[in-house]
Amino acid sequence: MTTSITVAYGDGIGPEIMEATLHILKEAGADIAIETIEVGERVYNMGATSGILPTAWESLRRTKVLLKAPITTPQGKGYKSLNVTMRKTLGMYANIRPTKSYHPMVKTNHPKMDLVIVRENEEDLYAGIEHRQSEDVLQCLKLITRSGSERIIRYAFDYAVANGRKKITCMTKDNIMKLADGTFHKLFDEIAAEYPAVEKDHYIIDIGAARIASKPEIFDVIVTLNLYGDIISDIAAEVSGSVGLAGSSNIAEDFAMFEAIHGSAPDIAGKNIANPSGILQSAIMMLIHIGQPDIASKIQNAWLKTLEDGIHTGDIYRKELSKEKVGCKEFADAVVKRLGKKPSEFASVAYVKTERQATKANTAKAKAKKELVGVDLFVAWDGSLDELGAKVTALAGDGLELKTLANKGLKVWPDVDISGIHITDQCHCRFRMSEGKTTTHAAIAALMDRAQKAGLDFTKTENLYLFDGQLGFSLGQGE
Ligand code: NAD
């Protein structure tokens, strides 16, 4: 049965790699009906700040499958990333990024690497909640949820089981972000106990990233948070031979998007030198997803044979290994010529139809007892800390008392020698109830009222909660 899919040609090298890929799919006999949508730069330039038109959403909701070329997103200014908008709007919570080496035909120092990164795709710093709070201070909120973390971790374990993978490594920075990353790690340990047949370990992300660069063969499946996953998947693809080789899938309950892991490469756009393999690999994942594993295998075998025959695009071309340096279009023609052939050096593939991975729903848990025990009042202030301390101490009331002032998370008042410390123009003033006492929103609102009457420029508040008696906030460094 013909499957309708939506296709977006994207920006930069997008159109050329997409054309090359669709040419291969057509010649291989993929039974697909293509609906093309316009997204990215051209749409932004038409004045649609979201980068996508309503008709495109309709197509996505109808076909539920998108093959997408990369899109250009401006750096440091301008419109928000459409990639992130689509992932979040369509609920694509899991980003699966397999990377392996194609030794000896593609030069790499890591001939045995074969890993899959399962990246959380909707949360973390990609929530994109940013504020400028003072002359000096910019904030980007890192949002981690227990439910989102549990979902991606379960997905990773189910993926490992379904794909015969033996080990899962969790990567976080929970030595620093003890609440956000700490929760992810803790949930990983809890869920791992339900999968005794899968080996598990944990790396702090910095050494984890270093090990992916130096010994990627020690990893099998890696599950991690959004930003770390983005960074380490580029490292993994690059050390496998080229960032142009890896494809990915973005999975929602009822939708899937397939794309290369690389970007729109404006530096080489329009030159017919880009490697179309990343998007082709994602198209192969798509064919398996829509139930055409035979066509997927036929294309993968022809692609492996092309690599094996030394027909290489510039990014992987090496004089000593390659036979012919080709452009994007010629590479696609070479794959088409080999459709029906199998590789002899590389193992050939024979994909099978996979059932949609059913990741178990979150198990219901009793809600924790939540107690409001204080508030952090963030105040823009570039005067003396003693003066601020005195002003803010005077705001106390309803049992809320000033305990500390912190600056960039470091306790700076009272009784701290701040000589040599770089102090910025915002402090967070921590008000706590005495041990065992709770407060109310009304008491916090009254405190804010006193702050505005005292002429303080408060930029935000964060409530301090205990959950089942455990701190729901970090202590200031040195507190
Ligand atoms: P990039 O991945 O586009 O390019 C990085 C380097 O890799 C460049 O030197 C490029 O020439 C090379 N490269 C990338 N793909 C290649 C290929 N297929 N063949 C050969 N060489 C290739 O990363 P960037 O330069 O940081 O980003 C460019 C733009 O892409 C930015 O606007 C960024 O926001 C966007 N981007 C989009 C996506 C996406 O749509 N999913 C992902 C990442 C970046």
Side-chain angles (χ1 to χ4, degrees):
M1 202 181 82
T2 305
T3 304
S4 293
I5 65 161
T6 305
V7 165
Y9 280 74
D11 301 319
I13 58 170
E16 49 201 288
I17 58 174
M18 182 60 86
E19 243 157 52
T21 296
L22 292 179
H23 173 51
I24 297 169
L25 262 60
K26 181 165 174 277
E27 293 301 321
D31 196 0
I32 49 177
I34 293 173
E35 295 185 12
T36 304
I37 57 166
E38 193 75 87
V39 291
E41 268 184 324
R42 260 172 307 197
V43 180
Y44 292 121
N45 293 339
M46 282 158 59
T49 52
S50 62
I52 180 165
L53 298 171
T55 46
W57 285 121
E58 282 160 27
S59 173
L60 297 176
R61 296 216 151 92
R62 191 168 44 244
T63 66
K64 303 191 186 313
V65 179
L66 172 63
L67 180 62
K68 187 184 82 59
I71 296 169
T72 299
T73 310
Q75 287 163 252
K77 60 179 167 44
Y79 40 80
K80 303 241 341 170
S81 162
L82 172 61
N83 291 318
V84 177
T85 305
M86 284 206 288
R87 286 175 198 152
K88 287 164 77 158
T89 307
L90 296 164
M92 291 183 262
Y93 64 95
N95 184 201
I96 317 304
R97 297 185 156 192
T99 309
K100 61 184 292 196
S101 85
Y102 299 99
H103 175 82
M105 293 317 298
V106 177
K107 188 170 165 38
T108 170
N109 294 328
H110 310 290
K112 295 208 174 106
M113 82 177 282
D114 179 5
L115 60 84
V116 180
I117 293 166
V118 177
R119 166 193 174 199
E120 196 290 316
N121 216 19
E122 295 180 290
E123 304 189 347
D124 198 348
L125 290 155
Y126 289 69
I129 307 171
E130 294 190 292
H131 297 96
R132 179 170 179 176
Q133 296 173 320
S134 67
E135 188 58 32
D136 198 30
V137 179
L138 300 311
Q139 170 187 268
C140 177
L141 279 183
K142 168 162 168 149
L143 280 185
I144 301 298
T145 68
R146 291 176 61 84
S147 54
S149 302
E150 179 169 350
R151 180 140 95 148
I152 193 69
I153 293 164
R154 284 193 185 283
Y155 187 94
F157 276 98
D158 290 342
Y159 177 95
V161 171
N163 292 278
R165 297 269 175 174
K166 302 280 177 286
K167 184 171 88 170
I168 303 198
T169 303
C170 176
M171 292 194 189
T172 69
K173 187 81 183 168
D174 64 339
N175 53 334
I176 304 298
M177 285 159 277
K178 294 173 196 290
L179 278 181
D181 287 30
T183 294
F184 194 92
H185 186 175
K186 192 162 165 281
L187 286 167
F188 174 78
D189 287 342
E190 283 172 23
I191 293 165
E194 298 173 30
Y195 295 82
V198 183
E199 206 187 313
K200 58 129 190 156
D201 62 2
H202 174 271
Y203 278 73
I204 290 175
I205 185 66
D206 29 2
I207 187 62
R211 287 284 148 80
I212 292 172
S214 67
K215 296 185 190 146
E217 61 281 357
I218 64 175
F219 297 108
D220 192 351
V221 174
I222 297 170
V223 64
T224 190
L225 303 161
N226 202 341
L227 179 64
Y228 309 146
D230 199 7
I231 295 170
I232 62 175
S233 51
D234 266 31
I235 298 175
E238 186 76 2
V239 302
S240 80
S242 166
V243 74
L245 286 173
S248 80
S249 61
N250 294 267
I251 301 293
E253 288 300 333
D254 194 22
F255 186 88
M257 175 170 93
F258 300 86
E259 61 180 347
I261 71 153
H262 60 74
S264 58
D267 54 334
I268 57 167
K271 296 184 178 159
N272 189 37
I273 55 177
N275 188 344
S277 298
I279 186 115
L280 182 65
Q281 286 305 310
S282 72
I284 289 169
M285 294 163 101
M286 178 193 77
L287 288 169
I288 299 169
H289 174 83
I290 64 173
Q292 299 184 26
D294 296 352
I295 308 291
S297 308
K298 190 171 168 188
I299 296 173
Q300 183 72 330
N301 286 328
W303 178 76
L304 288 168
K305 177 92 179 99
T306 308
L307 289 186
E308 207 175 83
D309 288 348
I311 317 287
H312 293 166
T313 44
D315 57 322
I316 57 169
Y317 179 87
R318 299 288 179 278
K319 240 192 213 140
E320 64 284 10
L321 287 175
S322 312
K323 295 227 165 52
E324 197 184 339
K325 188 181 196 173
V326 290
C328 177
K329 190 172 170 312
E330 294 70 30
F331 182 81
D333 290 340
V335 175
V336 167
K337 222 167 109 189
R338 287 163 179 77
L339 287 168
K341 296 195 174 140
K342 292 204 167 144
S344 46
E345 291 251 352
F346 296 130
S348 62
V349 301
Y351 298 123
V352 288
K353 190 169 180 332
T354 49
E355 287 314 313
R356 211 181 128 45
Q357 186 181 313
T359 293
K360 271 186 273 172
N362 293 351
T363 41
K365 288 194 188 75
K367 275 199 170 170
K369 183 177 170 211
K370 183 179 174 189
E371 295 169 286
L372 184 57
V373 295
V375 65
D376 281 344
L377 185 75
F378 288 71
V379 176
W381 180 265
D382 56 8
S384 107
L385 292 177
D386 282 337
E387 194 187 328
L388 179 64
K391 262 181 175 278
V392 182
T393 301
L395 302 179
D398 303 314
L400 284 167
E401 280 186 20
L402 181 68
K403 294 292 175 204
T404 55
L405 300 183
N407 195 276
K408 290 190 280 182
L410 174 71
K411 178 185 162 192
V412 289
W413 185 94
D415 308 325
V416 180
D417 176 4
I418 58 163
S419 48
I421 299 175
H422 174 254
I423 302 287
T424 189
D425 61 359
Q426 176 175 260
C427 277
H428 86 257
C429 313
R430 175 154 288 179
F431 286 88
R432 292 281 304 265
M433 298 298 289
S434 55
E435 183 88 31
K437 294 260 170 24
T438 59
T439 186
T440 61
H441 289 85
I444 290 172
L447 178 88
M448 287 163 74
D449 188 47
R450 292 192 291 279
Q452 71 85 17
K453 285 187 175 125
L456 289 167
D457 174 14
F458 54 89
T459 51
K460 74 161 186 172
T461 59
E462 287 284 352
N463 291 349
L464 306 180
Y465 291 105
L466 300 181
F467 288 85
D468 282 344
Q470 304 285 319
L471 293 190
F473 49 93
S474 57
L475 294 178
Q477 212 77 39
E479 186 176 340

